[in-house]
Amino acid sequence: MVLLYFAAVFSIAALSSAAPLQCEGTVKPLIIEDPTEIFGKWFLLAAATDYKVYQDMLKDLQSSWIEFSPLTANTTVLNQGYKMNTCIWTSTVMNMINNSGVLTFEFLGNTTGTVMETCPECLLLDLTSREGEHLAHSFYIFARSRELRLEYREEYLKQLYCLGLPPPTYVDLDKELCPYNEKNASSTDVSKTGQRLT
């Protein structure tokens, strides 16, 4: 993971030293005809954030997946399983707003998110969280499979550069995933925790 992190630093440095990037249209919400397209399981591939607490959490992260399930017309259940030496399961209800195809979320009382344009079979979440006096901005990229092709990685790095976010932390895709645990997920209270997509 350290090598991947420094490779990302080098890539962003190369981007910044090259000709100015055309950022217009690089980072924009995804228009989704059918919101059910995001339902199901996604694997975290990489994440970037400008908040030190979240950065430290990502460095300790070994693997992570999320799963969206419908609850009502305007609410979605987000189940998560992530590993930091031990498996942790969480579950929370998210308010889902569909504004002319642009999907936004509100959850945990302090976090809002928007589904952004990204690679095919990927899910890119642009999240903003209020942590006391801090406003944390994070960019998480997930996929249906545990791989991120080089051209998609480069596009993700370009988006981070255009947003002014630091280099991402890549998940080690060879690390074991936590199994789905419905009992633990449904009983875990995350109502008082921060941005939990790690």
Side-chain angles (χ1 to χ4, degrees):
M1 183 180 293
V2 173
L3 290 176
L4 286 173
Y5 179 83
F6 283 110
V9 173
F10 177 80
S11 298
I12 287 184
L15 285 174
S16 61
S17 62
L21 287 172
Q22 299 298 319
C23 288
E24 184 177 355
T26 299
V27 184
K28 58 184 180 181
L30 176 66
I31 304 300
I32 301 178
E33 298 291 339
D34 181 6
T36 63
E37 292 176 12
I38 73 164
F39 292 161
K41 199 167 187 176
W42 300 90
F43 303 101
L44 180 64
L45 304 180
T49 179
D50 60 6
Y51 186 44
K52 179 69 164 56
V53 174
Y54 294 165
Q55 291 172 356
D56 291 342
M57 290 174 63
L58 287 168
K59 290 176 184 177
D60 293 333
L61 182 68
Q62 295 171 301
S63 65
S64 178
W65 56 261
I66 63 174
E67 183 181 55
F68 292 98
S69 301
L71 186 60
T72 69
N74 298 313
T75 57
T76 301
V77 176
L78 174 66
N79 289 319
Q80 305 176 68
Y82 58 96
K83 193 169 188 178
M84 293 179 172
N85 295 321
T86 187
C87 283
I88 302 170
W89 291 271
T90 66
S91 182
T92 189
V93 175
M94 308 170 68
N95 294 322
M96 184 173 68
I97 304 165
N98 185 352
N99 184 9
S100 300
V102 176
L103 287 185
T104 59
F105 299 93
E106 297 175 356
F107 59 108
L108 299 177
N110 71 334
T111 301
T112 60
T114 303
V115 179
M116 308 297 288
E117 280 196 0
T118 184
C119 50
E121 294 299 305
C122 297
L123 177 70
L124 184 60
L125 297 181
D126 186 2
L127 303 177
T128 301
S129 297
R130 172 66 64 181
E131 293 288 353
E133 297 180 352
H134 300 280
L135 193 63
H137 186 197
S138 306
F139 225 51
Y140 290 79
I141 187 167
F142 300 82
R144 292 294 190 185
S145 62
R146 299 184 76 192
E147 61 179 345
L148 185 61
R149 291 164 53 178
L150 179 59
E151 61 265 40
Y152 300 150
R153 180 179 298 179
E154 291 176 345
E155 180 63 23
Y156 178 62
L157 290 174
K158 181 179 178 181
Q159 291 172 316
L160 295 179
Y161 173 83
C162 290
L163 288 170
L165 286 172
T169 298
Y170 291 99
V171 175
D172 187 343
L173 302 180
D174 293 325
K175 293 291 186 180
E176 183 179 4
L177 290 165
C178 292
Y180 184 77
N181 189 320
E182 185 174 358
K183 180 179 179 181
N184 283 356
S186 61
S187 62
T188 302
D189 179 11
V190 296
S191 60
K192 297 182 180 179
T193 63
Q195 192 178 47
R196 299 301 256 176
L197 288 173
T198 50

